[in-house]
Amino acid sequence: MAKKLVIKVTAGADAPERCSQAFTVAAVAVASGVEVSMWLTGESAWFALPGRAAEFELPHAAPLPDLIDSVLAGGTLTLCTQCAARRDITEKDVIEGVRIAGAQVFVQEAMAGETQALVY
């Protein structure tokens, strides 16, 4: 079994079920003791900003702010550098604990031994 899970979520409010699935899988993996690195790309980039996750609604899904808190408590949450730049998001804008990093870091994490990568 993989010892680390790298999850890239490309969907936000534009595809709520896919978005929620990514955050749910990440939070469950953290709760299960798996090392998790979650990447916010595309429309999910907005969830790196304070208060944005609270605006997300999906019936029968865990609240997105709770899932994000779970990921931050036991894993890493990264905002894609290019996605941040396209949305004029800087390090001073994001939730505490969110880092901004680029494709080189994503590839490095995804290719590390005993790592499973998922894209939503």
Side-chain angles (χ1 to χ4, degrees):
M1 181 162 90
K3 292 189 177 186
K4 182 172 185 177
L5 185 60
V6 177
I7 299 173
K8 179 185 276 195
V9 57
T10 62
D14 59 325
E17 287 185 297
R18 191 162 30 108
C19 176
S20 180
Q21 289 170 359
F23 282 98
T24 299
V25 167
V28 168
V30 167
S32 300
V34 176
E35 182 182 349
V36 173
S37 175
M38 185 167 202
W39 286 71
L40 305 176
T41 66
E43 286 302 299
S44 72
W46 295 114
F47 298 129
L49 297 175
R52 283 298 186 93
E55 298 171 5
F56 181 86
E57 292 184 16
L58 182 63
H60 309 291
L64 197 54
D66 294 348
L67 296 173
I68 290 173
D69 288 346
S70 294
V71 173
L72 285 171
T76 59
L77 190 59
T78 305
L79 172 59
C80 162
T81 302
Q82 289 182 12
C83 299
R86 280 190 281 275
R87 291 160 179 83
D88 294 320
I89 300 171
T90 67
E91 288 184 0
K92 67 179 172 47
D93 300 319
V94 299
I95 298 167
E96 185 177 341
V98 172
R99 69 177 178 163
I100 298 177
Q104 179 183 5
V105 177
F106 175 80
V107 170
Q108 181 182 359
E109 287 186 8
M111 297 306 296
E114 298 188 41
T115 298
Q116 173 68 51
L118 302 174
V119 178
Y120 286 87

